Amino acid sequence: GAVVSQHPSRVICKSGTSVKIECRSLDFQATTMFWYRQFPKQSLMLMATSNEGSKATYEQGVEKDKFLINHASLTLSTLTVTSAHPEDSSFYICSAPRGGASTDTQYFGPGTRLTVL
Amino acid sequence: KQEVTQIPAALSVPEGENLVLNCSFTDSAIYNLQWFRQDPGKGLTSLLLIQSSQREQTSGRLNASLDKSSGRSTLYIAASQPGDSATYLCAVKSYGNNRLAFGKGNQVVVIP
């Protein structure tokens, strides 16, 4: 079946540093990927839609200069949390629809736990 | 804006009992509804997907129903097992919108 991977699975960093998270579709091409953030006991909140070859679309309230998204190829999207602060500590999950953005099923990565000290 | 609510937020049941998890959504103009399982600190695993034209989907011990007009879906898990302990998330995809709107989840503990 379709697999989406994320790297790293866990990262701890100091306040003020930047952290890059990778999302890869392993056996299919994804022109669109979605980035979510999840706080403890909360639902997944969509942060942005990553589009291969064009700019990402950010949800209202998400700072695009803080959460940089690059969809450099059909199998890789990266999320960079710039100048991370403790309030950015969260669980970040990406997903990719197989077959295009309007396809029914989305496949989710295993998530990245970010802890900012 | 689509809002998804899941009740109960948490429940514990003894092994062997049937589980009933509820999901409601505010906008009935949905494209599909999907149930996911999430284990602690892990990503999401898709369990069942129901298209807007369907009433239910079944996979093994899992059965999901959809009543679009009333904005409700129910996930039934028959004869629960300790391995069913997880958080179950309901997500709705609306027409004209590729995004998924998630509920906060039903946290389930099955007691051996």
Side-chain angles (χ1 to χ4, degrees):
Chain A
V3 177
V4 174
S5 70
Q6 280 184 242
H7 178 79
S9 58
R10 184 182 297 268
V11 57
I12 300 173
C13 69
K14 293 182 178 180
S15 184
T17 60
S18 294
V19 175
K20 180 185 284 187
I21 303 170
E22 293 184 348
C23 178
R24 293 182 185 271
S25 55
L26 297 184
D27 60 353
F28 67 99
Q29 294 182 333
T31 56
T32 299
M33 292 183 176
F34 300 94
W35 285 97
Y36 295 84
R37 183 164 60 179
Q38 185 181 33
F39 292 106
K41 298 190 183 299
Q42 298 296 314
S43 65
L44 275 72
M45 296 300 296
L46 181 66
M47 299 175 65
T49 303
S50 173
N51 304 299
E52 190 271 334
S54 63
K55 292 183 179 180
T57 304
Y58 290 82
E59 296 300 299
Q60 191 172 10
V62 178
E63 299 176 57
K64 60 182 178 182
D65 293 331
K66 180 167 185 63
F67 298 100
L68 300 178
I69 291 174
N70 183 20
H71 199 141
S73 75
L74 289 172
T75 59
L76 173 64
S77 174
T78 60
L79 169 67
T80 301
V81 183
T82 62
S83 187
H85 291 283
E87 59 265 29
D88 298 322
S89 298
S90 187
F91 193 55
Y92 293 86
I93 306 177
C94 69
S95 74
R98 185 172 192 169
S102 61
T103 300
D104 294 344
T105 303
Q106 286 193 29
Y107 294 93
F108 284 78
T112 297
R113 171 73 60 193
L114 171 63
T115 302
V116 184
L117 303 176
Chain B
K1 177 184 175 184
Q2 181 73 270
E3 293 187 4
V4 181
T5 303
Q6 292 186 244
I7 295 173
L11 71 161
S12 296
V13 297
E15 181 177 1
E17 273 199 12
N18 297 330
L19 282 163
V20 180
L21 308 178
N22 296 300
C23 172
S24 61
F25 45 94
T26 54
D27 185 353
S28 61
I30 67 170
Y31 183 72
N32 63 43
L33 183 145
Q34 201 164 357
W35 282 93
F36 294 90
R37 170 183 171 138
Q38 184 177 30
D39 292 290
K42 304 293 184 182
L44 277 64
T45 301
S46 179
L47 298 175
L48 291 167
L49 183 149
I50 311 176
Q51 301 289 357
S52 63
S53 59
Q54 297 175 322
R55 299 282 293 181
E56 67 176 351
Q57 280 287 341
T58 298
S59 176
R61 295 184 293 112
L62 276 60
N63 174 277
S65 64
L66 173 64
D67 185 341
K68 195 173 63 170
S69 60
S70 67
R72 295 178 188 172
S73 176
T74 301
L75 178 66
Y76 300 89
I77 303 177
S80 61
Q81 303 171 357
D84 296 329
S85 299
T87 296
Y88 293 84
L89 294 165
C90 170
V92 173
K93 185 176 179 179
S94 300
Y95 276 104
N97 189 335
N98 291 322
R99 306 177 184 89
L100 290 178
F102 281 87
K104 291 184 178 181
N106 307 106
Q107 186 176 3
V108 172
V109 175
V110 179
I111 304 167

